[in-house]
């Protein structure tokens, strides 16, 4: 049987008003039109719904039984078809899954979690590790929000630039480079290096930039995370090249020294990415705003911050910038 949801509205009005004329006035339709709706409701339910008692109409036992249920169903239908534009984080109960670069989790995750807990104690955050291969979790709805250096090219994935960072060199205190007056490209290339790559790659855009200068470096190891690479540098003369904003605090805590990179390389962007299904999801919009603030506050340069109005899902990843680095090194 094909159902007409308009009959639910009519039934609710008839049960509330107790008369055809009252229900018609409430819904701004004519009395004959409401009478026809009552006839259709009677045929659909097999019940009279309202019966005449003298000059008034009396609801049947069935109508009395379903009155509250009909009202609640109509409320739910209206909520689905015309969702509220208001969000009360204090009453929000939801779990969000975030796939962020591990360094961004370490640097900005605590600030985001504190902001979420302060506004929405019923919300939980699941930070999951990035994969060594490209995965479609955003499209499948398994991940709510990504944060890394890659701008997705898929047209149904939104990407918002929230900042950018430059690459720096990190070494232990007392490393030979810390005693040099200037860290030249030759001295930089002569050091032994550790790359950061989830895929275990021993070369990246740094090697391309050095090659253009006729230089090569010796990479002795690849670490899957920046935290692991920092530990390598902490106890040896190994050098790692990592994004400044994700390393500054960790390097200081480990007693490491941050040096400028003697190479002309473009800054790497920081993107928040999500599927377009969440464009009008108020809870997701609220989370994106908090994430944007957390990432900006914890190091992304404020003069590079974009807004959600900058989001352009139709712009594909720029192939003309193959040497943009930062966490992009960790994606190769």
């Amino acid at each position: 049987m094909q159902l007409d949801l308009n009959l639910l509205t009519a039934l609710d009005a008839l049960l509330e008003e107790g008369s055809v004329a009252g229900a018609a006035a409430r819904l701004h339709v004519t009395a004959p039109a409401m009478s026809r709706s009552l006839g259709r409701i009677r045929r659909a339910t097999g019940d009279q719904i309202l019966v005449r008692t003298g000059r008034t109409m009396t609801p049947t036992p069935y109508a009395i039984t379903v009155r509250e249920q009909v009202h609640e169903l109509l409320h739910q239908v209206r909520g689905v078809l015309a969702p509220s534009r208001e969000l009360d984080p204090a009453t929000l109960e939801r779990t969000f899954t975030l796939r962020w670069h591990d360094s961004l989790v370490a640097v900005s995750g605590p600030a985001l979690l504190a902001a979420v807990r302060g506004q929405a104690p019923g919300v939980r955050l699941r930070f999951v590790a990035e994969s060594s291969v490209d995965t479609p979790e955003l499209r499948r709805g398994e991940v709510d929000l990504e944060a890394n250096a890659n701008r997705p090219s898929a047209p149904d994935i939104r990407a918002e630039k929230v900042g950018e960072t430059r690459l720096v060199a990190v070494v232990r205190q007392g490393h030979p480079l810390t005693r040099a007056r200037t860290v030249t490209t030759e001295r930089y290339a002569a050091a032994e290096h550790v790359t950061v790559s989830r895929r275990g790659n021993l070369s990246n855009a740094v090697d391309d930039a050095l090659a253009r200068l006729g230089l090569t470096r010796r990479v002795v190891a690849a670490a899957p995370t920046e935290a692991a690479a920092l530990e390598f540098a902490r106890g040896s003369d190994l050098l790692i090249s990592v994004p400044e904003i994700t390393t500054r605090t960790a390097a200081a805590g480990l007693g490491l020294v941050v040096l400028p990179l003697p190479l002309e390389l473009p800054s790497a962007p920081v993107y928040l990415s999500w599927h377009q299904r969440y464009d009008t999801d108020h809870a997701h919009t609220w989370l994106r705003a908090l994430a944007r603030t957390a990432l900006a506050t914890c190091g992304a340069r404020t003069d590079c911050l974009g807004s959600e109005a900058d989001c352009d899902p139709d712009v594909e990843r720029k192939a003309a910038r193959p040497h943009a680095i930062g966490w992009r090194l960790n994606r190769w």
Side-chain angles (χ1 to χ4, degrees):
M1 178 178 64
Q2 188 173 9
L3 297 178
D4 183 353
L5 288 180
N6 290 322
L7 295 183
L8 191 63
T9 303
L11 178 57
D12 182 64
L14 287 164
L15 297 178
E16 287 290 319
E17 299 296 331
S19 72
V20 171
R26 178 175 175 175
L27 298 182
H28 305 289
V29 298
T30 64
M34 182 55 65
S35 182
R36 289 193 294 272
S37 294
L38 176 58
R40 293 177 60 194
I41 293 170
R42 285 170 170 170
R43 289 191 294 273
T45 62
D47 188 88
Q48 290 297 301
I49 304 299
L50 294 174
V51 295
R52 184 166 296 282
T53 305
R55 295 185 177 181
T56 63
M57 302 287 284
T58 302
T60 65
Y62 170 79
I64 295 173
T65 300
V66 302
R67 177 184 294 163
E68 291 300 324
Q69 183 181 3
V70 168
H71 188 72
E72 179 61 25
L73 283 173
L74 186 60
H75 176 74
Q76 293 178 16
V77 168
R78 287 171 175 164
V80 170
L81 298 180
S84 171
R85 297 301 171 188
E86 299 296 327
L87 173 71
D88 182 7
T91 61
L92 183 61
E93 298 280 345
R94 185 161 167 179
T95 298
F96 292 97
T97 299
L98 297 84
R99 185 173 62 193
W100 288 18
H101 186 278
D102 62 279
S103 296
L104 291 178
V105 176
V107 172
S108 301
L112 175 59
L113 181 58
V116 168
R117 286 175 57 81
Q119 297 183 28
V123 168
R124 299 187 298 175
L125 301 182
R126 295 176 63 246
F127 286 97
V128 298
E130 289 190 292
S131 172
S132 60
V133 296
D134 294 331
T135 54
E137 283 92 343
L138 277 180
R139 178 171 291 168
R140 293 201 302 253
E142 298 171 6
V143 169
D144 295 291
L145 191 63
E146 281 193 349
N148 51 43
N150 286 341
R151 183 184 192 117
S153 59
D156 57 338
I157 303 298
R158 308 302 196 205
E160 175 190 352
K161 182 180 176 182
V162 295
E164 61 182 36
T165 184
R166 62 179 180 175
L167 209 66
V168 294
V170 177
V171 296
R172 67 168 179 85
Q173 291 186 4
H175 189 283
L177 283 179
T178 65
R179 298 191 292 269
R181 177 173 299 180
T182 303
V183 180
T184 64
T185 53
E186 289 78 12
R187 288 172 177 160
Y188 171 82
E192 292 187 323
H193 296 251
V194 173
T195 63
V196 181
S197 172
R198 294 194 318 279
R199 298 178 178 179
N201 293 331
L202 295 171
S203 63
N204 52 44
V206 170
D207 299 278
D208 297 336
L210 288 172
R212 290 194 294 272
L213 299 174
L215 298 172
T216 59
R217 62 173 178 164
R218 182 166 184 261
V219 176
V220 301
T225 66
E226 289 173 12
L230 290 173
E231 290 296 334
F232 282 120
R234 185 183 185 186
S236 68
D237 281 343
L238 296 173
L239 180 152
I240 62 172
S241 301
V242 285
E244 181 182 26
I245 68 169
T246 62
T247 306
R248 188 185 306 135
T249 302
L254 293 173
L256 299 172
V257 179
V258 177
L259 301 172
L261 197 74
L263 292 169
E264 290 295 329
L265 290 169
S267 296
V270 184
Y271 287 112
L272 282 176
S273 305
W274 66 95
H275 193 272
Q276 65 183 9
R277 69 169 65 88
Y278 295 121
D279 283 351
T280 58
D281 184 314
H282 303 300
H284 199 281
T285 300
W286 164 81
L287 180 67
R288 293 199 299 270
L290 294 184
R292 185 185 310 116
T293 299
L295 289 166
T297 302
C298 293
R301 284 168 36 193
T302 55
D303 61 331
C304 323
L305 294 182
S307 66
E308 208 148 303
D310 298 326
C311 171
D312 182 3
D314 295 323
V315 178
E316 294 191 359
R317 194 177 306 161
K318 300 292 190 298
R321 297 183 60 187
H323 304 295
I325 50 182
W327 314 285
R328 197 179 299 271
L329 297 177
N330 207 356
R331 300 288 292 183
W332 295 347

